[in-house]
Amino acid sequence: TGIDAATLAGTNPYSERDATKDGFGSDTRTWLLARKAGRISDKFDNPDMARGRREEQEAADLFEAWTGLRLARAKIGYLTHESGLVGASPDRRCELAPLLIEIKSKRDRFDFKVPVQYWWQMQLQMASTGHQNCVLLQYISLRAFGSHVKLPQIHTHLVRFNEARFQDFLDRYAAPFIRDLVALRAAGDD
């Protein structure tokens, strides 16, 4: 998935915590291989992810009201890049503009620079769909702030597709990872 790209590239600040919890210490690549090979659970959840699922539609509705851009209602689903090596599932796309939307429900503050793990996630989304632009939409609901805030808050960043960096990612990280994953799965079948 898109966020796994950041783990492969060594830029996901949360993967080391999760790898350590699963007994892999700081070896996030081996941890990711074990997940993808089915050696450990590839399913995980936390309160931030649950909040994101709950508030995603609210954020999309507020973005539409704020920008006047209409977002497609149907979920996009998982799309595989033409290389067959990677894929991603964007949150939304604009109906009339060639624009993807990645929604992050925040607890209490915005990131005023695009966090690198989200940047990689958005690069995979654009590469898998052929889009050149993706908006990082950060959302803080009224529930997060309590009664002293009168309106939910949003903050946006426009991220452009970087084909050269994406190709480098495929060559340096994704292709070797897939090769090792295939070997690991084959060894497990013996």
Side-chain angles (χ1 to χ4, degrees):
T1 63
I3 204 69
D4 290 336
T7 299
L8 273 180
T11 58
N12 183 346
Y14 307 111
S15 58
E16 189 170 322
R17 174 198 66 197
D18 294 336
T20 299
K21 182 181 67 172
D22 286 338
F24 289 84
S26 62
D27 189 353
T28 57
R29 188 177 190 280
T30 301
W31 168 74
L32 188 59
L33 275 169
R35 282 183 37 222
K36 297 303 178 185
R39 304 276 170 94
I40 61 173
S41 176
D42 195 29
K43 306 252 186 273
F44 53 92
D45 203 3
N46 62 45
D48 291 333
M49 292 167 70
R51 183 184 59 257
R53 287 189 303 275
R54 261 192 332 270
E55 296 180 352
E56 185 175 298
Q57 188 58 52
E58 291 174 27
D61 291 344
L62 188 58
F63 179 80
E64 284 183 329
W66 183 59
T67 63
L69 295 171
R70 187 167 160 82
L71 302 180
R73 293 289 173 206
K75 284 287 209 173
I76 298 171
Y78 185 82
L79 301 170
T80 303
H81 180 260
E82 63 189 25
S83 68
L85 297 174
V86 294
S89 52
D91 290 330
R92 296 285 193 282
R93 66 172 177 76
C94 287
E95 284 189 344
L96 299 175
L99 185 65
L100 295 175
I101 310 296
E102 175 59 30
I103 300 170
K104 298 296 181 191
S105 178
K106 306 298 283 184
R107 244 181 278 167
D108 56 5
R109 63 179 175 75
F110 295 123
D111 297 305
F112 290 101
K113 287 178 43 180
V114 176
V116 69
Q117 70 271 21
Y118 300 155
W119 187 89
W120 277 113
Q121 181 180 15
M122 295 164 72
Q123 291 299 308
L124 255 66
Q125 291 170 351
M126 289 182 280
S128 298
T129 61
H131 285 75
Q132 295 297 307
N133 297 293
C134 185
V135 169
L136 173 61
L137 168 60
Q138 298 177 81
Y139 174 72
I140 299 177
S141 73
L142 289 175
R143 291 180 296 282
F145 276 123
S147 60
H148 66 280
V149 172
K150 304 298 182 213
L151 295 170
Q153 305 290 308
I154 62 173
H155 183 75
T156 62
H157 296 280
L158 177 65
V159 174
R160 296 187 191 286
F161 182 56
N162 186 321
E163 188 169 356
R165 283 193 65 193
F166 181 75
Q167 188 59 52
D168 182 61
F169 167 80
L170 286 179
D171 296 341
R172 289 180 53 197
Y173 299 108
F177 180 83
I178 296 300
R179 183 191 62 238
D180 293 348
L181 179 59
V182 168
L184 183 61
R185 286 180 174 163
D189 293 338
D190 294 338

